[in-house]
Amino acid sequence: MPSGRHFLQIPGPSNVPDRILRAIDFPTIDHRGPGFAEVGRAALDGMTWVFGTEGPVVIYPSSGTGAWEAALVNTLSPGDAVLMYETGHFATLWKQLAERLGLNPLFIEGDWRSGADPDAIEARLKEDKAHAIKAVCVVHNETSTGSVSPIAAIRRAIDAAGHPALLMVDTISSLGSLDYRHDEWGVDVTVSGSQKGLMLPPGLSFNAISAKALAASEQARLPKSYWAWDHMLGPNEKGYFPYTPATNMLYGLNEAIAMLREEGLSNVFARHARHGAATRAAVRAWGLEVLCRNPNHYSGVLTAVVMPEGHSADAFRAVTLKNYDMSLGNGLSKVTDRVFRIGHLGDFNDLMLCATLAGVEMGLRDAGVPHKAGGVQVAMNQLGRASDTGRAAAE
Ligand SMILES: *Cc1c(COP(=O)(O)O)cnc(C)c1O
């Protein structure tokens, strides 16, 4: 093992703070005993705050993919049409999951360089006069590309089309990093996971559920058992679960929620936005291209960088790992080996970002990737206290 801290700069799992690791280290207790209810209720109540909802939240012991499946099987019936938007790899995986469940996903194609376009969604819904489409599914922060979809505008687009479809949003890589408001934005099911903005190890996933989604779940005919909301919601009322919960992960979740409360959600969001802006400034100074082309959709969670023609992103990432013990995100499916991704999410600060960008700049040099030196300096200037006024101006 190399000495010093490994830099885990992939866009999830993110760095797990020591505070959370220590919280997870507490003894596992009887999940049906009197001491457990407080742990369970604290986690459920805390997550309603993080989601910005007064409705129920369900917590599964699963990866984010499980919560994707839960959102669909609880609300839909075999053969239902669902409108999905190809923002990138994760949107594509959710669509494939819908196909395997026997749903009929209609895919609005995208070029992987921006978030979802509300106008395209509105136009497609207006064509659906018979209201065959039962749900609109969008990825909030597309982790394969670093593009953010405008959820409030998508809600307005659905309303403008006068369409009754449910709105389902994947916030697996945005919750706890980017501004998100389940109730205010009129989302019906929000899907999330533990290992990105929530700073936990992988292993927990979430559904936040609107009253409309809950009503839909009473008619939904897709088979479900493990994922069934109704099994969860009864025991959850008192802080218990219908099967063995991930007790130690719930300790960690309560610690993560405490950390978010201490920093304040708006400060957390501003920090991510600032780190995103500084990273993009560094990328441009290197003479490289940011994959996201729509400035309104830039992500504070990660930055995907396009490799210069003829150079391998994976070979470059292998160099940063070998020489500087830093993991960067790879390009997924359509952009395999064409992009690398810098994660700047979760438990993170200015100096960690500077070190991350220094590792990228040294790696570019070591791997012989054509670039201009000095991107780190540009980011430092932007982050430094002397440029406080420049901060607000930075995008
Ligand atoms: C990570 C991620 C997923 C998949 O989550 P798993 O925990 O790997 O199942 C889905 N969607 C988005 C946007 C993600 O970032």
Side-chain angles (χ1 to χ4, degrees):
M1 288 282 277
S3 60
R5 274 229 166 194
H6 173 66
F7 270 68
L8 183 65
Q9 297 316 132
I10 61 176
S14 63
N15 294 288
V16 181
D18 291 350
R19 252 180 90 169
I20 290 183
L21 289 173
R22 301 222 164 90
I24 291 173
D25 203 24
F26 270 61
T28 306
I29 59 172
D30 173 9
H31 61 284
R32 310 222 188 265
F36 185 83
E38 207 180 308
V39 176
R41 262 328 316 169
L44 291 160
D45 291 340
M47 286 310 293
T48 64
W49 171 72
V50 177
F51 279 111
T53 184
E54 308 212 313
V57 169
V58 160
I59 305 178
Y60 296 108
S62 85
S63 85
T65 302
W68 261 348
E69 177 158 339
L72 301 178
V73 295
N74 276 288
T75 53
L76 299 168
S77 297
D80 278 355
V82 289
L83 185 60
M84 302 180 111
Y85 200 109
E86 186 196 5
T87 45
H89 179 65
F90 288 100
T92 306
L93 289 181
W94 200 8
K95 177 203 160 231
Q96 289 167 354
L97 189 154
E99 274 164 357
R100 282 194 293 269
L101 291 175
L103 295 165
N104 172 26
L106 313 170
F107 214 27
I108 301 179
E109 284 177 17
D111 66 358
W112 291 41
R113 302 202 68 168
S114 76
D117 173 10
D119 293 341
I121 291 172
E122 184 175 336
R124 190 66 192 73
L125 290 178
K126 277 183 171 157
E127 287 169 20
D128 179 38
K129 300 238 177 342
H131 295 168
I133 294 170
K134 300 302 177 201
V136 175
C137 300
V138 185
V139 175
H140 184 213
N141 183 75
E142 176 52 77
T143 321
S144 62
T145 68
S147 296
V148 180
S149 289
I151 303 305
I154 290 168
R155 171 80 263 167
R156 287 194 294 274
I158 297 170
D159 294 345
H163 201 289
L166 296 167
L167 174 57
M168 305 200 197
V169 180
D170 167 350
T171 65
I172 294 174
S173 66
S174 57
L175 197 75
S177 298
L178 307 182
D179 190 10
Y180 189 78
R181 307 164 189 217
H182 176 89
D183 284 3
E184 191 181 321
W185 293 351
V187 179
D188 292 299
V189 188
T190 302
V191 173
S192 205
S194 57
Q195 75 271 31
K196 297 175 186 182
L198 293 177
M199 307 174 283
L200 292 159
L204 289 183
S205 73
F206 309 90
N207 279 173
I209 307 164
S210 75
K212 184 173 163 185
L214 208 52
S217 74
E218 284 161 22
Q219 316 298 325
R221 283 179 288 104
L222 278 175
K224 61 197 151 292
S225 168
Y226 184 76
W227 305 114
W229 290 339
D230 56 357
H231 287 186
M232 278 284 205
L233 294 175
N236 277 181
E237 272 176 33
K238 294 203 162 66
Y240 293 97
F241 288 76
Y243 43 74
T244 316
T247 305
N248 291 58
M249 287 292 287
L250 295 177
Y251 298 155
L253 178 60
N254 287 337
E255 195 67 21
I257 293 164
M259 290 177 73
L260 293 173
R261 284 198 202 276
E262 285 164 26
E263 187 174 354
L265 281 181
S266 58
N267 293 328
V268 171
F269 303 151
R271 166 165 62 80
H272 282 82
R274 209 162 73 78
H275 287 161
T279 301
R280 292 189 295 277
V283 170
R284 291 190 190 111
W286 290 322
L288 301 179
E289 199 185 346
V290 173
L291 182 64
C292 178
R293 266 197 297 227
N294 183 337
N296 297 322
H297 295 178
Y298 283 149
S299 174
V301 170
L302 77 142
T303 302
V305 182
V306 182
M307 249 353 226
E309 207 58 52
H311 291 267
S312 158
D314 290 342
F316 158 71
R317 289 188 316 107
V319 168
T320 63
L321 181 60
K322 178 163 175 286
N323 294 2
Y324 305 109
D325 195 24
M326 177 168 73
S327 294
L328 294 167
N330 62 336
L332 292 162
S333 61
K334 279 192 186 172
V335 291
T336 298
D337 208 28
R338 298 294 317 128
V339 309
F340 66 91
R341 296 173 296 149
I342 305 169
H344 32 75
L345 69 157
D347 185 44
F348 206 56
N349 63 25
D350 288 6
L351 290 190
M352 292 165 88
L353 178 62
C354 288
T356 298
L357 296 174
V360 173
E361 187 162 330
M362 291 191 289
L364 290 169
R365 179 199 60 200
D366 298 355
V369 179
H371 70 288
K372 290 197 287 288
V376 179
Q377 185 65 57
V378 168
M380 284 164 60
N381 294 348
Q382 191 161 317
L383 291 169
R385 297 220 175 271
S387 69
D388 259 352
T389 47
R391 260 185 217 186
E395 280 149 0

